[in-house]
Amino acid sequence: MDAGCPRLPDTVLFEIFLYLDHADVLSVGLVCQQWRAVARDEFLWKELFYRYYRVSRDVPRHPGAVSWYDEFQRLYDTIPCVEVQALKEHNDQVLHLSFSHSGCLFASCSKDCTVKIWSNELDISLQHSSNMRPYNWSYTQFSQFNSDDSLLLVSGVFVGPHNSSSGEIAVISMENFTLLSRVRNKPYDVFGCWLNETNLISGNLHRIGRITSCSVLWLNNAFQGIESENVNVVKRLFKIQNLNASTIRTVMVADCSRYDSPDLLLDYEEQLAASSTCPVFDLGSDSEEEEAKPKLPPEPSVQELPDAGGVPAEHGLQQLFDDIMEGRVRPAMTETELETKVAELFVRNRTKPPEPNLLPTDSNSKTKYLIFTTGCLTYSPHQIGIKRILPHQMTTAGPVLGEERRSDEFFDSLDHVIDIHGHIIGMGLSPDHRYLYVNSRAWPRDCVISDPMQPPPIAEEIDLHVFDLKTMKEVKRALRAHRAYTPNEECFFIFLDVSRDFVASGAEDRHGYIWDRHYNICLAKLQHDNVVNSVAFSPVEQELLLTASDDTTIKVWRSPRAVRIRQARRPRPRKLLFSWLMNQKS
């Protein structure tokens, strides 16, 4: 027993520890032999863990943890919550951050219309800045490194009227920072993404009616200005019909081959109650079509049309027009309802059926999923669409405009749809591509959308949903802590990021947030002076996190453990000065 350390009953000692600060727990452990004896008591550490972090006792210990002591230490010592640097080279709102796969570089996009490349060394420094204003860009909004970090995709918005939706994607070489190619992108919030090392996906939007359109997703070769005229540099990937003013936005690619070796499994919790889960609809099976079809709000002003049951769409359209002319549709349809009905009937027999057996069965499968936000009821994105990309579609070689499809198949159908019942404002994949994390702002329960141009009001609380892309089911309860305040028409994307053990997100409440993926608990709030738009974990060091804000700064956060290690590596000037003075005296 250490001198001066009174002997206390274990129960009393433990109750004291329950209310100690993290640092106090460590300091007690350094000076008290009695604490050292208690420190390895698994029961006490388990109780301390559950009570301090307020974790449900149904949640088991992290599968990678050796003991509850180690787990408690992990959560207080490895969270990137210590600000170590503030980067102020941007002079306007910073909108997005992205790391290279090696973790050596990261890129930032801003309303100042530059994309900046940073070197991630002991102290982060600016390596290059590209101004996109000469290309008639208004601002840069998104970036992504390709898989070998040799190219950077940068997405931006064109200068134009306030309601303009046009954008562009630029490809920059990381070897000499030259601009290799530029690709049109509409709407601009498709953002764009890499499919593989040399091919990227962009979007285009074609208006058909006032609230009806079609989105075309294109596969583009990054070296368009270099390739021969005899080689295809662009190919249509998918063409999808949009109803009720919805459009495809925010595309990303998930690699199915990683599913059977996940970094972390999230399947310990009981199934969520039906009232709190987001319904998932599998559109790939004819036998379950009626059961899987989403239950849309009733349309009392429109007479239900009989099931076509294989009747050609032209006959259905003719029947609809005859019913309208002869007054058999009561009450009369609005212009919006009529346009939607006509579009649904027109596309019925002009859509390629969904791919069967969406879920991958071969662990070595080269199949990838194209994931994007979409909708069916209103213009605000409230659904996640999933479309399988087959191996032969992953190159621009072959037919340029989809000549392989039958002439009467104008559109591609979605293989899977996830209904969020709210406005989607962010998406991110786990490093193993097994789980999809979705930021959304919920609609009121049981709300009915009668006008697609008037979506329901959205909640201030942001829900962070988690979906297992192997089973296409929601797992865990939605995470909450962060908030947003803008209404539907002003709502903007808040980027989130996922590491092996943590998930982080920005928010409009001037904070970034970090949660533990296994325990579903909020671990840290990271303060800024304005909206936090984006967060990014280093892919090789999850104890390093970046946050970007409307306050024009990028903040660098490291864990307490990483800070101690970095300080130990630095020379100590006081000791050097003392040694110099002693040498001078001698």
Side-chain angles (χ1 to χ4, degrees):
M1 177 76 65
D2 288 352
C5 183
R7 177 71 185 179
L8 296 174
D10 288 350
T11 53
V12 176
L13 188 63
F14 175 62
E15 289 296 327
I16 294 174
F17 292 149
L18 287 177
Y19 298 99
L20 290 177
D21 183 76
H22 292 153
D24 294 332
V25 171
L26 286 180
S27 63
V28 171
L30 293 175
V31 301
C32 181
Q33 286 286 359
Q34 184 180 354
W35 168 243
R36 294 193 189 105
V38 174
R40 296 298 176 178
D41 189 315
E42 275 293 278
F43 172 76
L44 293 179
W45 277 108
K46 181 178 180 180
E47 289 297 313
L48 176 60
F49 186 92
Y50 280 127
R51 292 179 63 174
Y52 188 90
Y53 289 108
R54 299 179 181 179
V55 176
S56 170
R57 293 180 182 272
D58 296 333
V59 179
R61 195 174 67 195
H62 189 288
V66 176
S67 66
W68 284 106
Y69 172 82
D70 291 335
E71 195 62 349
F72 192 93
Q73 187 179 39
R74 177 180 74 86
L75 290 190
Y76 72 67
D77 210 23
T78 66
I79 310 302
C81 58
V82 181
E83 181 184 340
V84 297
Q85 198 173 355
L87 309 174
K88 301 181 179 181
E89 278 76 359
H90 283 289
N91 54 36
D92 207 335
Q93 302 170 4
V94 188
L95 302 181
H96 185 256
L97 299 164
S98 65
F99 266 100
S100 63
H101 294 81
S102 67
C104 297
L105 302 172
F106 69 87
S108 58
C109 295
S110 168
K111 282 288 185 74
D112 65 13
C113 206
T114 67
V115 54
K116 299 186 186 297
I117 314 298
W118 307 79
S119 177
N120 179 25
E121 298 175 349
L122 194 60
D123 283 320
I124 292 172
S125 59
L126 181 63
Q127 187 170 351
H128 178 78
S129 180
S130 292
N131 182 12
M132 302 304 292
R133 289 199 191 280
Y135 304 103
N136 205 35
W137 285 27
S138 177
Y139 57 89
T140 60
Q141 60 173 350
F142 175 83
S143 66
Q144 185 183 46
F145 289 84
N146 70 341
S147 58
D148 63 6
D149 295 335
S150 62
L151 303 173
L152 179 68
L153 176 155
V154 182
S155 175
V157 180
F158 270 142
V159 174
H162 178 69
N163 60 353
S164 173
S165 62
S166 294
E168 193 171 69
I169 296 171
V171 178
I172 298 175
S173 168
M174 288 293 96
E175 182 179 0
N176 49 18
F177 303 112
T178 57
L179 182 64
L180 298 179
S181 59
R182 293 159 56 200
V183 176
R184 289 295 178 97
N185 192 40
K186 184 178 180 179
Y188 60 80
D189 49 4
V190 168
F191 294 115
C193 66
W194 290 104
L195 177 60
N196 49 41
E197 291 85 349
T198 58
N199 293 289
L200 60 98
I201 296 173
S202 65
N204 201 357
L205 183 67
H206 302 279
R207 295 290 179 185
I208 299 175
R210 190 176 72 89
I211 59 170
T212 308
S213 65
C214 74
S215 291
V216 181
L217 298 172
W218 294 91
L219 186 63
N220 307 268
N221 192 305
F223 302 94
Q224 293 191 13
I226 302 173
E227 297 288 353
S228 164
E229 294 182 359
N230 298 322
V231 177
N232 291 336
V233 294
V234 62
K235 183 173 71 172
R236 193 176 78 192
L237 198 57
F238 302 116
K239 182 179 180 181
I240 298 170
Q241 186 195 44
N242 304 312
L243 299 176
N244 290 322
S246 64
T247 61
I248 287 179
R249 314 176 187 185
T250 318
V251 297
M252 60 178 56
V253 173
D255 186 350
C256 304
S257 64
R258 306 187 191 182
Y259 288 177
D260 287 337
S261 56
D263 297 327
L264 179 67
L265 285 174
L266 304 179
D267 58 356
Y268 65 82
E269 279 195 324
E270 297 178 355
Q271 293 294 326
L272 297 178
S275 60
S276 65
T277 57
C278 297
V280 180
F281 312 114
D282 190 347
L283 307 185
S285 172
D286 294 334
S287 61
E288 298 177 354
E289 183 176 354
E290 293 303 317
E291 179 182 354
K293 197 174 293 183
K295 296 181 179 179
L296 303 181
E299 299 181 354
S301 61
V302 181
Q303 177 180 323
E304 290 294 330
L305 296 174
D307 187 5
V311 176
E314 291 80 1
H315 295 176
L317 282 171
Q318 187 61 53
Q319 182 65 49
L320 174 63
F321 293 145
D322 291 345
D323 290 343
I324 292 173
M325 296 302 294
E326 296 178 16
R328 291 196 292 266
V329 177
R330 296 292 182 185
M333 286 185 177
T334 65
E335 181 180 343
T336 297
E337 292 167 341
L338 178 60
E339 181 179 330
T340 299
K341 281 295 180 185
V342 170
E344 288 175 341
L345 287 169
F346 177 79
V347 79
R348 180 178 293 168
N349 290 341
R350 290 173 170 80
T351 301
K352 186 177 180 180
E355 296 288 345
N357 302 322
L358 175 66
L359 303 182
T361 57
D362 181 6
S363 60
N364 296 319
S365 172
K366 295 182 180 180
T367 300
K368 296 183 178 182
Y369 291 158
L370 182 64
I371 301 172
F372 45 84
T373 62
T374 182
C376 64
L377 303 175
T378 181
Y379 69 82
S380 64
H382 55 276
Q383 292 180 322
I384 298 170
I386 299 177
K387 186 68 181 171
R388 187 192 321 208
I389 306 175
L390 300 176
H392 72 271
Q393 296 175 301
M394 299 183 191
T395 173
T396 56
V400 178
L401 295 176
E403 292 90 337
E404 73 277 4
R405 73 180 71 229
R406 299 203 316 264
S407 59
D408 58 345
E409 290 177 344
F410 295 163
F411 301 104
D412 296 283
S413 60
L414 304 186
D415 296 328
H416 207 83
V417 174
I418 300 174
D419 198 325
I420 299 297
H421 193 74
H423 192 129
I424 300 170
I425 60 170
M427 294 197 303
L429 288 166
S430 60
D432 53 22
H433 287 205
R434 172 72 179 266
Y435 298 99
L436 177 67
Y437 286 74
V438 181
N439 267 336
S440 74
R441 296 173 61 183
W443 291 336
R445 183 173 295 183
D446 300 326
C447 64
V448 177
I449 300 175
S450 56
D451 182 356
M453 304 309 294
Q454 297 291 329
I458 50 179
E460 289 187 354
E461 295 84 6
I462 302 175
D463 294 328
L464 184 50
H465 301 280
V466 190
F467 296 92
D468 186 341
L469 293 179
K470 186 172 183 179
T471 63
M472 294 295 168
K473 294 181 180 179
E474 184 173 11
V475 294
K476 293 185 171 291
R477 59 178 173 81
L479 300 172
R480 274 191 173 182
H482 47 332
R483 302 175 72 87
Y485 308 108
T486 50
N488 265 307
E489 63 274 11
E490 300 175 16
C491 203
F492 55 88
F493 218 68
I494 294 178
F495 294 94
L496 58 93
D497 197 22
V498 189
S499 70
R500 184 186 69 247
D501 295 314
F502 309 128
V503 55
S505 175
E508 292 184 41
D509 58 12
R510 303 183 179 186
H511 288 89
Y513 290 82
I514 304 175
W515 295 264
D516 183 82
R517 292 178 60 197
H518 177 74
Y519 298 107
N520 261 35
I521 54 174
C522 185
L523 297 170
K525 291 176 64 176
L526 313 175
Q527 188 166 3
H528 273 268
D529 295 330
N530 211 322
V531 172
V532 178
N533 296 304
S534 179
V535 297
F537 285 103
S538 166
V540 296
E541 183 189 1
Q542 67 174 357
E543 296 180 37
L544 168 62
L545 177 71
L546 307 174
T547 55
S549 171
D550 280 359
D551 62 16
T552 75
T553 65
I554 300 169
K555 288 190 176 183
V556 184
W557 309 83
R558 294 187 184 272
S559 69
R561 181 175 69 176
V563 171
R564 291 196 306 271
I565 294 173
R566 282 164 51 86
Q567 290 174 345
R569 292 175 179 172
R570 293 177 181 273
R572 299 187 178 184
R574 290 185 179 179
K575 287 190 174 182
L576 293 175
L577 178 61
F578 179 76
S579 299
W580 180 81
L581 290 173
M582 293 301 293
N583 291 333
Q584 292 297 314
K585 287 183 179 180
S586 60

